[in-house]
Amino acid sequence: MSSPHLRSPLSRRGFLLASAGASAALGLTALPTHAAHEPRPFGRYGSPAARRTPGTLYVDPHGRGDFTTVQAAVNAAEGSGRTLVLAPGVYRETVTVDATRTEMTWIGAAGDPRAVVIVYDNAAGTPKPGGGTHGTTGSATTTIRADGFTAHRITFANDWLRADHPDITGTQAVALKVMGDRSAFHHCRFLGHQDTLYADTTALNVFARQYFSHCYAEGDVDFVFGRATAVFEHCHFRTLDRTDLAGAPYGFVFAPSTAGANPRGYLVTRSRITSEAPDAYYKLARPWVPSSDPTARPSLVVRDSWLGTGFDAVAPYTNMSNAFPWQDQRFAEYRNLGPGARVTVPENRPQLTDEQAESATRAAYLGDWRPYD
């Protein structure tokens, strides 16, 4: 994975394998790498000897918790309302939370999402041991099917790299797939390349609500995608540079696939969208109308946000399929700033009216669910 300072495609993988320290690609200050010797790996969240609540389980890759892997702790956390506290470390595994484990909370004990990393390296085209390939959904490092899931200060990553697998054409590699209603992520990071963050639902007729607050997501192709009703507030989206392509476009930030019956798809508000790539090499979004739902009408509103120079301000939207033109979908902006937000061709930049903007709010999208209180 590339960055302005580290051009080797292995730079972020090296970071993830070596420690839960900082990624140079994010311009973050390095964290201490002595987690194995930390006397209080769970910080202020208790310990197996002094549990925060009877339903709290502790995970530590160095063996000082109840479990050394996240999946083992999930398997033990049956029922509803369980909490997992994750000590600093790199958890190289795939994790699935099934639909029965509702109202679950994961807490990164370090207070810094860079210190707790859940990562694996499957892609859609990666062969499965029993035959076939994983597909996009199966590539996910972490899959959340349960309602009421909350995560605090954790990094979800997929470090599969195209450069390592030139024979694989299915290059979608999901860091997190979340499908449950009332799913909230606070101060989390989502690292990958293609299809990094899959904000989706369990079924076509389910309108799952999701909330991402003060989060960071990076990638290159459709790296925030799916059919959920999702609000991204105070988030930072960053597109990666690419050395495998000769010219623009390098990729697309958003690819919503909102069901036609759902009045609300993705809302991005008070956020930043920046790029490592040359000016205008990225599109802001394209609509995904999947074969499983040809009646989908993708919905995206980007408002009160800052768009950098990496985006094609003249034509920020494009088609994924010419059979479903982006102009027929529900894309709009409102009061954005920055060089990528300049409107030079008005027909290419649909804008909400002030009246329409009154219903494009966090409260309108999330209804009676208030994860931000």
Side-chain angles (χ1 to χ4, degrees):
M1 298 183 181
S2 57
S3 78
H5 307 294
L6 296 175
R7 292 297 177 185
S8 166
L10 295 179
S11 61
R12 181 158 299 124
R13 172 168 292 172
F15 147 68
L16 289 169
L17 288 173
S19 72
S23 166
L26 304 185
L28 299 172
T29 303
L31 295 179
T33 58
H34 55 270
H37 308 292
E38 171 60 51
R40 295 183 59 201
F42 304 107
R44 60 190 178 89
Y45 298 103
S47 69
R51 295 188 187 276
R52 189 178 187 221
T53 68
T56 299
L57 296 174
Y58 294 88
V59 190
D60 175 36
H62 306 293
R64 295 161 298 176
D66 300 304
F67 302 95
T68 58
T69 69
V70 180
Q71 187 64 65
V74 169
N75 292 346
E78 296 180 340
S80 183
R82 303 299 294 273
T83 296
L84 271 55
V85 179
L86 279 58
V90 175
Y91 299 85
R92 178 161 285 276
E93 57 178 307
T94 59
V95 184
T96 297
V97 177
D98 68 37
T100 67
R101 289 165 166 81
T102 58
E103 314 303 327
M104 180 176 281
T105 298
W106 293 3
I107 300 172
D112 188 324
R114 297 171 296 167
V116 178
V117 180
I118 304 172
V119 59
Y120 208 72
D121 60 348
N122 283 329
T126 300
K128 294 194 296 186
T133 57
H134 284 282
T136 299
T137 290
S139 75
T141 297
T142 302
T143 302
I144 310 296
R145 300 180 181 277
D147 292 342
F149 180 86
T150 301
H152 297 272
R153 302 181 187 276
I154 295 171
T155 292
F156 299 88
N158 189 319
D159 63 351
W160 188 91
L161 299 172
R162 299 183 186 97
D164 290 350
H165 305 278
D167 56 319
I168 291 181
T169 57
T171 57
Q172 301 88 346
V174 177
L176 173 75
K177 180 168 185 178
V178 54
M179 292 172 278
D181 186 36
R182 296 177 292 103
S183 300
F185 297 82
H186 303 279
H187 298 274
C188 290
R189 299 192 309 156
F190 309 97
L191 308 183
H193 276 260
Q194 183 171 352
D195 291 8
T196 304
L197 174 55
Y198 197 169
D200 204 44
T201 71
T202 56
L204 295 178
N205 61 348
V206 175
F207 302 158
R209 297 162 296 173
Q210 298 166 9
Y211 180 62
F212 300 82
S213 171
H214 298 89
C215 290
Y216 173 94
E218 69 175 29
D220 51 34
V221 177
D222 303 333
F223 66 92
V224 181
F225 73 114
R227 62 174 176 251
T229 294
V231 174
F232 302 89
E233 186 169 41
H234 298 296
C235 290
H236 181 190
F237 305 91
R238 187 162 180 82
T239 62
L240 300 173
D241 202 358
R242 298 185 66 172
T243 58
D244 58 318
L245 295 180
Y250 276 0
F252 323 87
V253 181
F254 302 101
S257 57
T258 321
N262 188 353
R264 298 178 179 91
Y266 287 178
L267 172 65
V268 178
T269 179
R270 295 187 284 181
S271 295
R272 288 189 299 148
I273 308 176
T274 65
S275 181
E276 295 179 359
D279 291 358
Y281 265 52
Y282 271 88
K283 300 289 188 179
L284 185 60
R286 61 179 181 171
W288 177 31
V289 179
S291 58
S292 59
D293 183 19
T295 65
R297 285 197 64 216
S299 172
L300 168 69
V301 172
V302 180
R303 62 170 300 170
D304 301 301
S305 295
W306 194 91
L307 280 61
T309 59
F311 305 94
D312 183 353
V314 175
Y317 306 107
T318 191
N319 299 337
M320 186 175 293
S321 166
N322 289 335
F324 304 101
W326 73 264
Q327 293 90 343
D328 293 345
Q329 314 311 321
R330 295 174 285 179
F331 287 0
E333 301 174 55
Y334 184 69
R335 295 194 314 192
N336 292 320
L337 299 172
R342 295 193 185 109
V343 178
T344 58
V345 182
E347 58 267 33
N348 289 343
R349 306 293 296 261
Q351 303 290 314
L352 296 178
T353 65
D354 290 344
E355 182 179 3
Q356 290 170 330
E358 291 179 359
S359 61
T361 64
R362 174 183 66 186
Y365 274 59
L366 301 182
D368 60 358
W369 177 49
R370 300 175 66 87
Y372 43 85
D373 286 346

